[in-house]
Amino acid sequence: MFVEFLDSKLPLSLRSNLLELFSQIEREFENLYLENIELRREIDTLNERLAAEGHTFDGADLAKGALKTKASHSTSQLSQKLKTTYKASTSKIVSSFKATAARAVCQLVKEYVGHRDGIWDLGITRNQPVVLGTASADHTAMLWSIETGKCLLKYMGHQGSVNSIKFHPNEQMALTASGDQTAHIWRYMVQLPTPQPVADVSQTPCEDDVDFSDKDEADGEVEGPIDCPSIRVATTMLRSHQGVVIAADWLVGGKQVVTASWDRSANLYDVETSELVHSLTGHDQELTHCCTHPTQRLVVTSSRDTTFRLWDFRDPSIHSVNVFQGHTDTVTSAVFTVGDNVVSGSDDRTVKVWDLKNMRSPMATIRTDSAVNRISVSVSQKIIALPHDNRQVRLFDMSGVRLARLPRTNRQGHRRMVCCSTWSEDNSTCNLFTCGFDRQAIGWNINIPSLLQEK
């Protein structure tokens, strides 16, 4: 198809980009063709149904308005569906050209090394001092200086893998969930070290990466951090679960927390009394994640049963729940974003963007080549970060357009499965953090050209 490129004078990288764009266009038009066939079948089915009711029509009848209200309404729906399909697909193709014309730039700024096992989760404090927190399978959680990469504090109160870490919205308190079937709340005090000059790391276009090998590189022996203070006793211990506590989060205001467990339930606790307020049951299999809304008393839980559930605690007398069945495999996480959107990721290799006001079908679907782990969404830039089993991290906008892929070579990036990502809205040095089973967290500076943000 592209034999003429053999004698082209264009640089190899530009030719590759053009070939990739042509492939995307071909795929889009193939999808349009298949959707067109399906819509044609729907029209034929409508014709048959109307004929059975004594109504027949063709293009001329439509123009003359001879159809009754029911037929007109159905045809209008099909027409609107066709318009929406073509508009969305064309927009995708145009966005792909935009993404190539103004490419994102990704810079690896800092590596945070010190855990002795894989890192499951990470988070950023919501108040000063701003530090990075990591939760590891080595039974510890650590707090790090973002600028220097130095460990500031280690929490050693759990007897099992630490599966998640979240910070209180107003106070210096952390919430960790563990394989020891408990969640702990603990207070911390840290002194930030004097910032050091950031090493001059060349800026790398996010997709100009070369994965030199599909084999996992060997991990060297990682020494623990030196002179890192530790805490061994929790302020509060939450003990009601009968299985691994896989995730936990603070409700708005920080007076209650929610935990998600492999015992198929999520629990709502009062922080001051540590009493169980509600047990949220209904999932058919183990829970994988939970997330709270930043400004409303809403909770979303994810599960291996391929669903995620929205729990509404805004009315104290009514605790409603909605079940959403948009995936075909384990839902690894579902998170709230600004406004009324929820984004869900799954082992079925898709990410879906939902509108809380109309969650019968997703607003956008992102299809990838690998299982998706704990996703995060940048509030300010409205960018979704997708960490994958295949060691890649990809960035998409809320409409499902791919923006970038973080560099992953044998010199930088993750060497094992990437478990989680989180954004920092207030840090100018690093605005995206990722962690994985290579026992390290990485701080990135992501620069998305303004062209990509135009809607």
Side-chain angles (χ1 to χ4, degrees):
M1 180 178 179
F2 301 111
V3 177
E4 60 271 20
F5 273 101
L6 295 176
D7 299 323
S8 175
K9 304 301 182 183
L10 294 174
L12 180 59
S13 59
L14 182 56
R15 288 163 55 192
S16 300
N17 286 338
L18 286 173
L19 288 171
E20 175 63 23
L21 276 175
F22 290 146
S23 298
Q24 290 182 30
I25 293 171
E26 184 178 3
R27 287 194 296 271
E28 292 294 343
F29 278 105
E30 183 180 0
N31 291 335
L32 282 175
Y33 176 73
L34 294 175
E35 289 177 3
N36 215 0
I37 292 176
E38 184 60 31
L39 288 173
R40 187 72 253 175
R41 289 190 188 129
E42 291 183 26
I43 293 174
D44 291 341
T45 301
L46 178 61
N47 277 333
E48 292 173 2
R49 188 164 68 246
L50 291 172
E53 296 174 0
H55 305 290
T56 58
F57 64 94
D58 54 23
D61 292 329
L62 284 174
K64 295 175 182 176
L67 290 178
K68 291 190 176 181
T69 303
K70 180 179 177 182
S72 298
H73 178 65
S74 300
T75 307
S76 175
Q77 284 183 323
L78 289 173
S79 174
Q80 185 61 40
K81 187 173 181 181
L82 275 170
K83 289 179 183 177
T84 303
T85 300
Y86 280 106
K87 183 178 180 181
S89 299
T90 305
S91 176
K92 271 189 179 180
I93 296 171
V94 172
S95 298
S96 295
F97 279 109
K98 281 186 177 182
T100 303
R103 304 182 65 187
V105 175
C106 307
Q107 182 181 10
L108 190 154
V109 178
K110 187 66 66 176
E111 295 177 336
Y112 305 86
V113 179
H115 279 293
R116 295 181 177 273
D117 207 337
I119 304 176
W120 290 117
D121 196 28
L122 76 177
I124 300 292
T125 54
R126 307 190 203 181
N127 44 49
Q128 297 294 330
V130 178
V131 298
L132 171 70
T134 53
S136 171
D138 66 7
H139 298 193
T140 71
M142 291 184 181
L143 304 186
W144 308 81
S145 164
I146 293 176
E147 286 76 16
T148 67
K150 179 182 177 181
C151 176
L152 305 174
L153 186 68
K154 180 193 294 187
Y155 180 69
M156 305 177 68
H158 283 292
Q159 303 301 311
S161 169
V162 185
N163 300 320
S164 80
I165 182 168
K166 294 290 182 182
F167 293 99
H168 192 279
N170 305 311
E171 302 180 38
Q172 292 187 17
M173 298 169 62
L175 169 66
T176 48
S178 173
D180 62 14
Q181 303 186 7
T182 69
H184 291 184
I185 297 173
W186 43 279
R187 290 187 176 273
Y188 61 89
M189 290 185 63
V190 293
Q191 182 69 40
L192 293 179
T194 303
Q196 301 172 348
V198 178
D200 184 15
V201 181
S202 60
Q203 292 188 336
T204 307
C206 291
E207 300 194 32
D208 283 351
D209 57 296
V210 180
D211 195 348
F212 289 92
S213 174
D214 288 332
K215 297 179 180 179
D216 289 340
E217 296 89 342
D219 285 332
E221 287 298 320
V222 178
E223 295 296 330
I226 301 173
D227 299 329
C228 185
S230 63
I231 298 176
R232 296 179 181 271
V233 180
T235 306
T236 303
M237 298 179 67
L238 309 175
R239 299 177 175 273
S240 301
H241 283 293
Q242 303 302 311
V244 167
V245 183
I246 197 65
D249 202 358
W250 303 87
L251 266 74
V252 58
K255 294 182 178 180
Q256 292 181 323
V257 299
V258 62
T259 57
S261 171
W262 284 3
D263 64 10
R264 305 185 182 185
S265 70
N267 287 343
L268 187 67
Y269 295 93
D270 181 272
V271 172
E272 184 176 354
T273 64
S274 72
E275 292 182 357
L276 177 64
V277 179
H278 293 291
S279 184
L280 313 178
T281 59
H283 281 291
D284 295 329
Q285 295 188 42
E286 295 93 334
L287 272 65
T288 57
H289 193 250
C290 64
C291 180
T292 59
H293 194 282
T295 60
Q296 303 182 63
R297 289 178 56 79
L298 297 171
V299 175
V300 62
T301 56
S302 313
S303 172
R304 291 185 60 190
D305 63 11
T306 75
T307 72
F308 64 96
R309 293 177 176 238
L310 177 66
W311 310 82
D312 190 344
F313 297 99
R314 290 174 293 187
D315 186 340
S317 61
I318 303 174
H319 304 134
S320 63
V321 58
N322 292 297
V323 184
F324 303 103
Q325 301 176 330
H327 292 281
T328 59
D329 204 339
T330 297
V331 181
T332 52
S333 65
V335 298
F336 292 102
T337 68
V338 288
D340 295 315
N341 293 333
V342 170
V343 183
S344 59
S346 171
D347 279 345
D348 65 10
R349 303 182 178 186
T350 69
V351 170
K352 296 177 185 286
V353 181
W354 308 81
D355 185 346
L356 284 176
K357 297 176 182 177
N358 179 19
M359 299 198 53
R360 288 174 294 181
S361 60
M363 299 166 54
T365 297
I366 301 168
R367 291 180 172 81
T368 70
D369 60 353
S370 180
V372 180
N373 296 312
R374 291 182 177 177
I375 59 179
S376 64
V377 181
S378 168
V379 174
S380 59
Q381 300 186 75
K382 297 181 176 61
I383 301 173
I384 312 168
L386 279 57
H388 290 288
D389 276 1
N390 67 359
R391 303 173 289 173
Q392 303 288 357
V393 180
R394 293 183 173 92
L395 307 180
F396 288 80
D397 70 12
M398 294 292 288
S399 62
V401 175
R402 175 173 159 176
L403 303 178
R405 179 175 60 186
L406 300 193
R408 210 226 72 79
T409 71
N410 60 2
R411 296 183 302 275
Q412 64 175 323
H414 288 287
R415 301 184 301 275
R416 296 284 190 274
M417 172 181 71
V418 189
C419 300
C420 180
S421 65
T422 191
W423 292 89
S424 173
E425 307 294 342
D426 302 321
N427 191 281
S428 58
T429 304
C430 303
N431 55 4
L432 176 64
F433 297 85
T434 58
C435 66
F437 243 62
D438 53 3
R439 296 183 272 180
Q440 70 172 338
I442 299 178
W444 305 86
N445 184 272
I446 309 298
N447 180 18
I448 304 293
S450 58
L451 180 61
L452 295 180
Q453 302 304 314
E454 295 177 1
K455 301 297 178 187

